mmCIF file with all atom_site columns, all heavy atoms in Angstrom:
data_model
loop_
_atom_site.group_PDB
_atom_site.id
_atom_site.type_symbol
_atom_site.label_atom_id
_atom_site.label_alt_id
_atom_site.label_comp_id
_atom_site.label_asym_id
_atom_site.label_entity_id
_atom_site.label_seq_id
_atom_site.pdbx_PDB_ins_code
_atom_site.Cartn_x
_atom_site.Cartn_y
_atom_site.Cartn_z
_atom_site.occupancy
_atom_site.B_iso_or_equiv
_atom_site.pdbx_formal_charge
_atom_site.auth_seq_id
_atom_site.auth_comp_id
_atom_site.auth_asym_id
_atom_site.auth_atom_id
_atom_site.pdbx_PDB_model_num
ATOM 1   N N   . ILE A 1 9   ? -37.096 3.490   22.324  1.00 94.00 ? 23  ILE A N   1
ATOM 2   C CA  . ILE A 1 9   ? -36.835 3.142   20.929  1.00 94.00 ? 23  ILE A CA  1
ATOM 3   C C   . ILE A 1 9   ? -35.785 4.073   20.339  1.00 94.00 ? 23  ILE A C   1
ATOM 4   O O   . ILE A 1 9   ? -34.922 3.649   19.550  1.00 94.00 ? 23  ILE A O   1
ATOM 5   C CB  . ILE A 1 9   ? -38.142 3.183   20.110  1.00 94.00 ? 23  ILE A CB  1
ATOM 6   C CG1 . ILE A 1 9   ? -39.080 2.080   20.575  1.00 94.00 ? 23  ILE A CG1 1
ATOM 7   C CG2 . ILE A 1 9   ? -37.862 3.038   18.625  1.00 94.00 ? 23  ILE A CG2 1
ATOM 8   C CD1 . ILE A 1 9   ? -38.523 0.671   20.428  1.00 94.00 ? 23  ILE A CD1 1
ATOM 9   N N   . ILE A 1 20  ? -24.176 -1.621  13.957  1.00 94.00 ? 34  ILE A N   1
ATOM 10  C CA  . ILE A 1 20  ? -24.205 -1.917  12.523  1.00 94.00 ? 34  ILE A CA  1
ATOM 11  C C   . ILE A 1 20  ? -22.948 -1.394  11.831  1.00 94.00 ? 34  ILE A C   1
ATOM 12  O O   . ILE A 1 20  ? -22.345 -2.083  11.003  1.00 94.00 ? 34  ILE A O   1
ATOM 13  C CB  . ILE A 1 20  ? -25.473 -1.327  11.883  1.00 94.00 ? 34  ILE A CB  1
ATOM 14  C CG1 . ILE A 1 20  ? -26.724 -2.050  12.415  1.00 94.00 ? 34  ILE A CG1 1
ATOM 15  C CG2 . ILE A 1 20  ? -25.417 -1.444  10.364  1.00 94.00 ? 34  ILE A CG2 1
ATOM 16  C CD1 . ILE A 1 20  ? -28.039 -1.412  12.003  1.00 94.00 ? 34  ILE A CD1 1
ATOM 17  N N   . ILE A 1 27  ? -12.015 -3.922  7.953   1.00 93.00 ? 41  ILE A N   1
ATOM 18  C CA  . ILE A 1 27  ? -10.769 -3.495  7.315   1.00 93.00 ? 41  ILE A CA  1
ATOM 19  C C   . ILE A 1 27  ? -10.056 -2.415  8.115   1.00 93.00 ? 41  ILE A C   1
ATOM 20  O O   . ILE A 1 27  ? -8.885  -2.114  7.851   1.00 93.00 ? 41  ILE A O   1
ATOM 21  C CB  . ILE A 1 27  ? -11.004 -2.977  5.883   1.00 93.00 ? 41  ILE A CB  1
ATOM 22  C CG1 . ILE A 1 27  ? -11.840 -1.690  5.889   1.00 93.00 ? 41  ILE A CG1 1
ATOM 23  C CG2 . ILE A 1 27  ? -11.639 -4.036  5.011   1.00 93.00 ? 41  ILE A CG2 1
ATOM 24  C CD1 . ILE A 1 27  ? -11.883 -1.002  4.536   1.00 93.00 ? 41  ILE A CD1 1
ATOM 25  N N   . ALA A 1 40  ? -25.521 -8.763  13.302  1.00 92.00 ? 54  ALA A N   1
ATOM 26  C CA  . ALA A 1 40  ? -26.791 -9.479  13.442  1.00 92.00 ? 54  ALA A CA  1
ATOM 27  C C   . ALA A 1 40  ? -27.645 -8.843  14.529  1.00 92.00 ? 54  ALA A C   1
ATOM 28  O O   . ALA A 1 40  ? -28.863 -8.686  14.375  1.00 92.00 ? 54  ALA A O   1
ATOM 29  C CB  . ALA A 1 40  ? -26.539 -10.949 13.759  1.00 92.00 ? 54  ALA A CB  1
ATOM 30  N N   . ILE A 1 41  ? -27.000 -8.441  15.625  1.00 95.00 ? 55  ILE A N   1
ATOM 31  C CA  . ILE A 1 41  ? -27.721 -7.793  16.722  1.00 95.00 ? 55  ILE A CA  1
ATOM 32  C C   . ILE A 1 41  ? -28.232 -6.426  16.275  1.00 95.00 ? 55  ILE A C   1
ATOM 33  O O   . ILE A 1 41  ? -29.391 -6.068  16.529  1.00 95.00 ? 55  ILE A O   1
ATOM 34  C CB  . ILE A 1 41  ? -26.812 -7.661  17.961  1.00 95.00 ? 55  ILE A CB  1
ATOM 35  C CG1 . ILE A 1 41  ? -26.421 -9.050  18.477  1.00 95.00 ? 55  ILE A CG1 1
ATOM 36  C CG2 . ILE A 1 41  ? -27.500 -6.857  19.059  1.00 95.00 ? 55  ILE A CG2 1
ATOM 37  C CD1 . ILE A 1 41  ? -25.380 -9.023  19.571  1.00 95.00 ? 55  ILE A CD1 1
ATOM 38  N N   . TYR A 1 52  ? -41.964 -1.653  15.924  1.00 93.00 ? 66  TYR A N   1
ATOM 39  C CA  . TYR A 1 52  ? -42.487 -1.273  17.241  1.00 93.00 ? 66  TYR A CA  1
ATOM 40  C C   . TYR A 1 52  ? -43.747 -0.408  17.169  1.00 93.00 ? 66  TYR A C   1
ATOM 41  O O   . TYR A 1 52  ? -44.717 -0.646  17.881  1.00 93.00 ? 66  TYR A O   1
ATOM 42  C CB  . TYR A 1 52  ? -41.390 -0.550  18.014  1.00 93.00 ? 66  TYR A CB  1
ATOM 43  C CG  . TYR A 1 52  ? -41.712 -0.327  19.483  1.00 93.00 ? 66  TYR A CG  1
ATOM 44  C CD1 . TYR A 1 52  ? -41.442 -1.317  20.420  1.00 93.00 ? 66  TYR A CD1 1
ATOM 45  C CD2 . TYR A 1 52  ? -42.262 0.873   19.933  1.00 93.00 ? 66  TYR A CD2 1
ATOM 46  C CE1 . TYR A 1 52  ? -41.715 -1.117  21.767  1.00 93.00 ? 66  TYR A CE1 1
ATOM 47  C CE2 . TYR A 1 52  ? -42.543 1.071   21.265  1.00 93.00 ? 66  TYR A CE2 1
ATOM 48  C CZ  . TYR A 1 52  ? -42.265 0.079   22.178  1.00 93.00 ? 66  TYR A CZ  1
ATOM 49  O OH  . TYR A 1 52  ? -42.551 0.284   23.503  1.00 93.00 ? 66  TYR A OH  1
ATOM 50  N N   . ILE A 1 85  ? -22.606 8.660   -5.936  1.00 95.00 ? 99  ILE A N   1
ATOM 51  C CA  . ILE A 1 85  ? -22.218 8.830   -7.341  1.00 95.00 ? 99  ILE A CA  1
ATOM 52  C C   . ILE A 1 85  ? -21.639 10.230  -7.553  1.00 95.00 ? 99  ILE A C   1
ATOM 53  O O   . ILE A 1 85  ? -20.622 10.414  -8.235  1.00 95.00 ? 99  ILE A O   1
ATOM 54  C CB  . ILE A 1 85  ? -23.420 8.583   -8.273  1.00 95.00 ? 99  ILE A CB  1
ATOM 55  C CG1 . ILE A 1 85  ? -23.798 7.096   -8.272  1.00 95.00 ? 99  ILE A CG1 1
ATOM 56  C CG2 . ILE A 1 85  ? -23.104 9.035   -9.699  1.00 95.00 ? 99  ILE A CG2 1
ATOM 57  C CD1 . ILE A 1 85  ? -25.069 6.784   -9.034  1.00 95.00 ? 99  ILE A CD1 1
ATOM 58  N N   . ALA A 1 92  ? -21.038 5.572   -11.922 1.00 89.00 ? 106 ALA A N   1
ATOM 59  C CA  . ALA A 1 92  ? -22.416 5.515   -12.410 1.00 89.00 ? 106 ALA A CA  1
ATOM 60  C C   . ALA A 1 92  ? -22.691 4.225   -13.172 1.00 89.00 ? 106 ALA A C   1
ATOM 61  O O   . ALA A 1 92  ? -23.810 3.705   -13.148 1.00 89.00 ? 106 ALA A O   1
ATOM 62  C CB  . ALA A 1 92  ? -22.707 6.727   -13.291 1.00 89.00 ? 106 ALA A CB  1
ATOM 63  N N   . ILE A 1 97  ? -30.084 -2.610  -10.627 1.00 93.00 ? 111 ILE A N   1
ATOM 64  C CA  . ILE A 1 97  ? -31.407 -2.672  -10.014 1.00 93.00 ? 111 ILE A CA  1
ATOM 65  C C   . ILE A 1 97  ? -31.323 -3.080  -8.550  1.00 93.00 ? 111 ILE A C   1
ATOM 66  O O   . ILE A 1 97  ? -32.117 -2.630  -7.716  1.00 93.00 ? 111 ILE A O   1
ATOM 67  C CB  . ILE A 1 97  ? -32.330 -3.647  -10.799 1.00 93.00 ? 111 ILE A CB  1
ATOM 68  C CG1 . ILE A 1 97  ? -33.772 -3.545  -10.286 1.00 93.00 ? 111 ILE A CG1 1
ATOM 69  C CG2 . ILE A 1 97  ? -31.805 -5.067  -10.727 1.00 93.00 ? 111 ILE A CG2 1
ATOM 70  C CD1 . ILE A 1 97  ? -34.433 -2.208  -10.519 1.00 93.00 ? 111 ILE A CD1 1
ATOM 71  N N   . TYR A 1 98  ? -30.339 -3.922  -8.224  1.00 91.00 ? 112 TYR A N   1
ATOM 72  C CA  . TYR A 1 98  ? -30.147 -4.351  -6.836  1.00 91.00 ? 112 TYR A CA  1
ATOM 73  C C   . TYR A 1 98  ? -29.851 -3.156  -5.939  1.00 91.00 ? 112 TYR A C   1
ATOM 74  O O   . TYR A 1 98  ? -30.427 -3.016  -4.854  1.00 91.00 ? 112 TYR A O   1
ATOM 75  C CB  . TYR A 1 98  ? -29.008 -5.366  -6.787  1.00 91.00 ? 112 TYR A CB  1
ATOM 76  C CG  . TYR A 1 98  ? -28.681 -5.897  -5.415  1.00 91.00 ? 112 TYR A CG  1
ATOM 77  C CD1 . TYR A 1 98  ? -29.489 -6.845  -4.796  1.00 91.00 ? 112 TYR A CD1 1
ATOM 78  C CD2 . TYR A 1 98  ? -27.535 -5.458  -4.740  1.00 91.00 ? 112 TYR A CD2 1
ATOM 79  C CE1 . TYR A 1 98  ? -29.170 -7.343  -3.544  1.00 91.00 ? 112 TYR A CE1 1
ATOM 80  C CE2 . TYR A 1 98  ? -27.214 -5.946  -3.491  1.00 91.00 ? 112 TYR A CE2 1
ATOM 81  C CZ  . TYR A 1 98  ? -28.037 -6.893  -2.897  1.00 91.00 ? 112 TYR A CZ  1
ATOM 82  O OH  . TYR A 1 98  ? -27.733 -7.374  -1.651  1.00 91.00 ? 112 TYR A OH  1
ATOM 83  N N   . GLY A 1 102 ? -32.144 -0.887  -3.000  1.00 93.00 ? 116 GLY A N   1
ATOM 84  C CA  . GLY A 1 102 ? -31.637 -0.709  -1.646  1.00 93.00 ? 116 GLY A CA  1
ATOM 85  C C   . GLY A 1 102 ? -30.845 -1.858  -1.090  1.00 93.00 ? 116 GLY A C   1
ATOM 86  O O   . GLY A 1 102 ? -30.411 -1.817  0.060   1.00 93.00 ? 116 GLY A O   1
ATOM 87  N N   . PHE A 1 105 ? -31.196 -6.017  2.461   1.00 92.00 ? 119 PHE A N   1
ATOM 88  C CA  . PHE A 1 105 ? -31.784 -5.626  3.738   1.00 92.00 ? 119 PHE A CA  1
ATOM 89  C C   . PHE A 1 105 ? -33.048 -4.803  3.517   1.00 92.00 ? 119 PHE A C   1
ATOM 90  O O   . PHE A 1 105 ? -34.086 -5.048  4.139   1.00 92.00 ? 119 PHE A O   1
ATOM 91  C CB  . PHE A 1 105 ? -30.756 -4.838  4.557   1.00 92.00 ? 119 PHE A CB  1
ATOM 92  C CG  . PHE A 1 105 ? -31.219 -4.499  5.948   1.00 92.00 ? 119 PHE A CG  1
ATOM 93  C CD1 . PHE A 1 105 ? -31.479 -5.502  6.861   1.00 92.00 ? 119 PHE A CD1 1
ATOM 94  C CD2 . PHE A 1 105 ? -31.391 -3.181  6.349   1.00 92.00 ? 119 PHE A CD2 1
ATOM 95  C CE1 . PHE A 1 105 ? -31.902 -5.202  8.152   1.00 92.00 ? 119 PHE A CE1 1
ATOM 96  C CE2 . PHE A 1 105 ? -31.812 -2.871  7.630   1.00 92.00 ? 119 PHE A CE2 1
ATOM 97  C CZ  . PHE A 1 105 ? -32.064 -3.886  8.530   1.00 92.00 ? 119 PHE A CZ  1
ATOM 98  N N   . VAL A 1 119 ? -50.910 -9.389  8.613   1.00 93.00 ? 133 VAL A N   1
ATOM 99  C CA  . VAL A 1 119 ? -50.955 -9.892  9.991   1.00 93.00 ? 133 VAL A CA  1
ATOM 100 C C   . VAL A 1 119 ? -51.848 -9.004  10.839  1.00 93.00 ? 133 VAL A C   1
ATOM 101 O O   . VAL A 1 119 ? -52.709 -9.484  11.586  1.00 93.00 ? 133 VAL A O   1
ATOM 102 C CB  . VAL A 1 119 ? -49.534 -9.964  10.591  1.00 93.00 ? 133 VAL A CB  1
ATOM 103 C CG1 . VAL A 1 119 ? -49.602 -10.189 12.101  1.00 93.00 ? 133 VAL A CG1 1
ATOM 104 C CG2 . VAL A 1 119 ? -48.731 -11.075 9.932   1.00 93.00 ? 133 VAL A CG2 1
ATOM 105 N N   . ALA A 1 141 ? -36.768 -24.641 6.468   1.00 87.00 ? 155 ALA A N   1
ATOM 106 C CA  . ALA A 1 141 ? -35.777 -24.054 5.554   1.00 87.00 ? 155 ALA A CA  1
ATOM 107 C C   . ALA A 1 141 ? -34.369 -24.443 5.967   1.00 87.00 ? 155 ALA A C   1
ATOM 108 O O   . ALA A 1 141 ? -33.515 -24.742 5.115   1.00 87.00 ? 155 ALA A O   1
ATOM 109 C CB  . ALA A 1 141 ? -35.940 -22.535 5.525   1.00 87.00 ? 155 ALA A CB  1
ATOM 110 N N   . LYS A 1 154 ? -17.841 -18.534 8.549   1.00 67.00 ? 168 LYS A N   1
ATOM 111 C CA  . LYS A 1 154 ? -18.486 -17.297 8.125   1.00 67.00 ? 168 LYS A CA  1
ATOM 112 C C   . LYS A 1 154 ? -19.609 -16.851 9.046   1.00 67.00 ? 168 LYS A C   1
ATOM 113 O O   . LYS A 1 154 ? -19.982 -15.683 9.047   1.00 67.00 ? 168 LYS A O   1
ATOM 114 C CB  . LYS A 1 154 ? -19.026 -17.466 6.697   1.00 67.00 ? 168 LYS A CB  1
ATOM 115 C CG  . LYS A 1 154 ? -17.941 -17.747 5.667   1.00 67.00 ? 168 LYS A CG  1
ATOM 116 C CD  . LYS A 1 154 ? -18.532 -17.863 4.273   1.00 67.00 ? 168 LYS A CD  1
ATOM 117 C CE  . LYS A 1 154 ? -17.449 -18.145 3.238   1.00 67.00 ? 168 LYS A CE  1
ATOM 118 N NZ  . LYS A 1 154 ? -18.012 -18.275 1.879   1.00 67.00 ? 168 LYS A NZ  1
ATOM 119 N N   . PHE A 1 163 ? -31.073 -17.118 3.884   1.00 84.00 ? 177 PHE A N   1
ATOM 120 C CA  . PHE A 1 163 ? -31.758 -17.842 4.954   1.00 84.00 ? 177 PHE A CA  1
ATOM 121 C C   . PHE A 1 163 ? -32.108 -16.964 6.147   1.00 84.00 ? 177 PHE A C   1
ATOM 122 O O   . PHE A 1 163 ? -33.201 -17.037 6.705   1.00 84.00 ? 177 PHE A O   1
ATOM 123 C CB  . PHE A 1 163 ? -30.907 -19.031 5.428   1.00 84.00 ? 177 PHE A CB  1
ATOM 124 C CG  . PHE A 1 163 ? -31.395 -19.624 6.725   1.00 84.00 ? 177 PHE A CG  1
ATOM 125 C CD1 . PHE A 1 163 ? -32.516 -20.445 6.740   1.00 84.00 ? 177 PHE A CD1 1
ATOM 126 C CD2 . PHE A 1 163 ? -30.772 -19.323 7.935   1.00 84.00 ? 177 PHE A CD2 1
ATOM 127 C CE1 . PHE A 1 163 ? -32.992 -20.964 7.937   1.00 84.00 ? 177 PHE A CE1 1
ATOM 128 C CE2 . PHE A 1 163 ? -31.235 -19.836 9.128   1.00 84.00 ? 177 PHE A CE2 1
ATOM 129 C CZ  . PHE A 1 163 ? -32.349 -20.654 9.133   1.00 84.00 ? 177 PHE A CZ  1
ATOM 130 N N   . ILE A 1 178 ? -44.789 -6.159  20.853  1.00 94.00 ? 192 ILE A N   1
ATOM 131 C CA  . ILE A 1 178 ? -44.445 -5.487  22.114  1.00 94.00 ? 192 ILE A CA  1
ATOM 132 C C   . ILE A 1 178 ? -44.898 -4.034  22.070  1.00 94.00 ? 192 ILE A C   1
ATOM 133 O O   . ILE A 1 178 ? -45.427 -3.508  23.050  1.00 94.00 ? 192 ILE A O   1
ATOM 134 C CB  . ILE A 1 178 ? -42.927 -5.589  22.380  1.00 94.00 ? 192 ILE A CB  1
ATOM 135 C CG1 . ILE A 1 178 ? -42.568 -7.037  22.755  1.00 94.00 ? 192 ILE A CG1 1
ATOM 136 C CG2 . ILE A 1 178 ? -42.502 -4.638  23.497  1.00 94.00 ? 192 ILE A CG2 1
ATOM 137 C CD1 . ILE A 1 178 ? -41.086 -7.270  22.963  1.00 94.00 ? 192 ILE A CD1 1
ATOM 138 N N   . ASN A 1 216 ? -14.568 -25.661 15.908  1.00 84.00 ? 230 ASN A N   1
ATOM 139 C CA  . ASN A 1 216 ? -14.921 -27.034 15.573  1.00 84.00 ? 230 ASN A CA  1
ATOM 140 C C   . ASN A 1 216 ? -16.096 -27.013 14.599  1.00 84.00 ? 230 ASN A C   1
ATOM 141 O O   . ASN A 1 216 ? -17.231 -26.777 15.000  1.00 84.00 ? 230 ASN A O   1
ATOM 142 C CB  . ASN A 1 216 ? -15.285 -27.814 16.838  1.00 84.00 ? 230 ASN A CB  1
ATOM 143 C CG  . ASN A 1 216 ? -15.558 -29.275 16.568  1.00 84.00 ? 230 ASN A CG  1
ATOM 144 O OD1 . ASN A 1 216 ? -15.589 -29.717 15.423  1.00 84.00 ? 230 ASN A OD1 1
ATOM 145 N ND2 . ASN A 1 216 ? -15.762 -30.051 17.631  1.00 84.00 ? 230 ASN A ND2 1
ATOM 146 N N   . PHE A 1 229 ? -31.717 -16.941 21.358  1.00 97.00 ? 243 PHE A N   1
ATOM 147 C CA  . PHE A 1 229 ? -30.890 -16.072 22.196  1.00 97.00 ? 243 PHE A CA  1
ATOM 148 C C   . PHE A 1 229 ? -30.721 -14.698 21.547  1.00 97.00 ? 243 PHE A C   1
ATOM 149 O O   . PHE A 1 229 ? -30.592 -13.693 22.258  1.00 97.00 ? 243 PHE A O   1
ATOM 150 C CB  . PHE A 1 229 ? -29.534 -16.729 22.467  1.00 97.00 ? 243 PHE A CB  1
ATOM 151 C CG  . PHE A 1 229 ? -29.638 -17.945 23.338  1.00 97.00 ? 243 PHE A CG  1
ATOM 152 C CD1 . PHE A 1 229 ? -29.686 -19.215 22.777  1.00 97.00 ? 243 PHE A CD1 1
ATOM 153 C CD2 . PHE A 1 229 ? -29.744 -17.818 24.709  1.00 97.00 ? 243 PHE A CD2 1
ATOM 154 C CE1 . PHE A 1 229 ? -29.814 -20.338 23.577  1.00 97.00 ? 243 PHE A CE1 1
ATOM 155 C CE2 . PHE A 1 229 ? -29.870 -18.932 25.530  1.00 97.00 ? 243 PHE A CE2 1
ATOM 156 C CZ  . PHE A 1 229 ? -29.905 -20.204 24.955  1.00 97.00 ? 243 PHE A CZ  1
ATOM 157 N N   . GLU A 1 244 ? -33.682 4.137   34.082  1.00 92.00 ? 258 GLU A N   1
ATOM 158 C CA  . GLU A 1 244 ? -33.850 5.528   34.505  1.00 92.00 ? 258 GLU A CA  1
ATOM 159 C C   . GLU A 1 244 ? -32.622 6.376   34.202  1.00 92.00 ? 258 GLU A C   1
ATOM 160 O O   . GLU A 1 244 ? -32.744 7.549   33.866  1.00 92.00 ? 258 GLU A O   1
ATOM 161 C CB  . GLU A 1 244 ? -34.162 5.581   36.007  1.00 92.00 ? 258 GLU A CB  1
ATOM 162 C CG  . GLU A 1 244 ? -35.552 5.091   36.372  1.00 92.00 ? 258 GLU A CG  1
ATOM 163 C CD  . GLU A 1 244 ? -36.646 5.914   35.687  1.00 92.00 ? 258 GLU A CD  1
ATOM 164 O OE1 . GLU A 1 244 ? -36.482 7.153   35.591  1.00 92.00 ? 258 GLU A OE1 1
ATOM 165 O OE2 . GLU A 1 244 ? -37.642 5.319   35.246  1.00 92.00 ? 258 GLU A OE2 1
ATOM 166 N N   . ILE A 1 259 ? -28.933 11.623  20.863  1.00 94.00 ? 273 ILE A N   1
ATOM 167 C CA  . ILE A 1 259 ? -29.653 10.352  20.689  1.00 94.00 ? 273 ILE A CA  1
ATOM 168 C C   . ILE A 1 259 ? -30.624 10.431  19.521  1.00 94.00 ? 273 ILE A C   1
ATOM 169 O O   . ILE A 1 259 ? -30.679 9.527   18.680  1.00 94.00 ? 273 ILE A O   1
ATOM 170 C CB  . ILE A 1 259 ? -30.386 9.969   21.988  1.00 94.00 ? 273 ILE A CB  1
ATOM 171 C CG1 . ILE A 1 259 ? -29.370 9.586   23.067  1.00 94.00 ? 273 ILE A CG1 1
ATOM 172 C CG2 . ILE A 1 259 ? -31.357 8.811   21.750  1.00 94.00 ? 273 ILE A CG2 1
ATOM 173 C CD1 . ILE A 1 259 ? -29.958 9.424   24.451  1.00 94.00 ? 273 ILE A CD1 1
ATOM 174 N N   . ASN A 1 288 ? -8.837  5.876   14.002  1.00 96.00 ? 302 ASN A N   1
ATOM 175 C CA  . ASN A 1 288 ? -9.458  5.775   12.674  1.00 96.00 ? 302 ASN A CA  1
ATOM 176 C C   . ASN A 1 288 ? -10.920 5.333   12.764  1.00 96.00 ? 302 ASN A C   1
ATOM 177 O O   . ASN A 1 288 ? -11.764 5.750   11.967  1.00 96.00 ? 302 ASN A O   1
ATOM 178 C CB  . ASN A 1 288 ? -8.669  4.805   11.792  1.00 96.00 ? 302 ASN A CB  1
ATOM 179 C CG  . ASN A 1 288 ? -8.640  3.390   12.346  1.00 96.00 ? 302 ASN A CG  1
ATOM 180 O OD1 . ASN A 1 288 ? -8.545  3.182   13.552  1.00 96.00 ? 302 ASN A OD1 1
ATOM 181 N ND2 . ASN A 1 288 ? -8.716  2.410   11.460  1.00 96.00 ? 302 ASN A ND2 1
ATOM 182 N N   . VAL A 1 302 ? -26.294 14.266  5.660   1.00 96.00 ? 316 VAL A N   1
ATOM 183 C CA  . VAL A 1 302 ? -26.439 14.902  4.340   1.00 96.00 ? 316 VAL A CA  1
ATOM 184 C C   . VAL A 1 302 ? -27.418 14.106  3.486   1.00 96.00 ? 316 VAL A C   1
ATOM 185 O O   . VAL A 1 302 ? -28.272 14.669  2.798   1.00 96.00 ? 316 VAL A O   1
ATOM 186 C CB  . VAL A 1 302 ? -25.067 15.009  3.639   1.00 96.00 ? 316 VAL A CB  1
ATOM 187 C CG1 . VAL A 1 302 ? -25.228 15.543  2.217   1.00 96.00 ? 316 VAL A CG1 1
ATOM 188 C CG2 . VAL A 1 302 ? -24.123 15.904  4.438   1.00 96.00 ? 316 VAL A CG2 1
ATOM 189 N N   . PHE A 1 310 ? -35.876 15.594  -1.741  1.00 92.00 ? 324 PHE A N   1
ATOM 190 C CA  . PHE A 1 310 ? -36.513 14.786  -2.782  1.00 92.00 ? 324 PHE A CA  1
ATOM 191 C C   . PHE A 1 310 ? -37.994 14.596  -2.482  1.00 92.00 ? 324 PHE A C   1
ATOM 192 O O   . PHE A 1 310 ? -38.851 14.749  -3.354  1.00 92.00 ? 324 PHE A O   1
ATOM 193 C CB  . PHE A 1 310 ? -35.836 13.417  -2.879  1.00 92.00 ? 324 PHE A CB  1
ATOM 194 C CG  . PHE A 1 310 ? -34.465 13.443  -3.495  1.00 92.00 ? 324 PHE A CG  1
ATOM 195 C CD1 . PHE A 1 310 ? -33.659 12.315  -3.464  1.00 92.00 ? 324 PHE A CD1 1
ATOM 196 C CD2 . PHE A 1 310 ? -33.961 14.579  -4.107  1.00 92.00 ? 324 PHE A CD2 1
ATOM 197 C CE1 . PHE A 1 310 ? -32.393 12.318  -4.019  1.00 92.00 ? 324 PHE A CE1 1
ATOM 198 C CE2 . PHE A 1 310 ? -32.705 14.600  -4.670  1.00 92.00 ? 324 PHE A CE2 1
ATOM 199 C CZ  . PHE A 1 310 ? -31.912 13.465  -4.624  1.00 92.00 ? 324 PHE A CZ  1
ATOM 200 N N   . GLN A 1 312 ? -40.035 16.396  -0.611  1.00 92.00 ? 326 GLN A N   1
ATOM 201 C CA  . GLN A 1 312 ? -40.816 17.629  -0.719  1.00 92.00 ? 326 GLN A CA  1
ATOM 202 C C   . GLN A 1 312 ? -40.959 18.091  -2.165  1.00 92.00 ? 326 GLN A C   1
ATOM 203 O O   . GLN A 1 312 ? -41.949 18.738  -2.523  1.00 92.00 ? 326 GLN A O   1
ATOM 204 C CB  . GLN A 1 312 ? -40.175 18.725  0.141   1.00 92.00 ? 326 GLN A CB  1
ATOM 205 C CG  . GLN A 1 312 ? -40.261 18.455  1.635   1.00 92.00 ? 326 GLN A CG  1
ATOM 206 C CD  . GLN A 1 312 ? -39.758 19.625  2.460   1.00 92.00 ? 326 GLN A CD  1
ATOM 207 O OE1 . GLN A 1 312 ? -39.750 20.772  2.015   1.00 92.00 ? 326 GLN A OE1 1
ATOM 208 N NE2 . GLN A 1 312 ? -39.337 19.348  3.690   1.00 92.00 ? 326 GLN A NE2 1
#
Side-chain angles (χ1 to χ4, degrees):
I23 293 300
I34 293 172
I41 66 169
I55 297 172
Y66 191 85
I99 290 173
I111 189 65
Y112 180 76
F119 185 64
V133 168
K168 298 182 180 179
F177 167 77
I192 289 177
N230 184 354
F243 292 97
E258 288 300 321
I273 291 170
N302 62 322
V316 175
F324 288 170
Q326 292 186 24

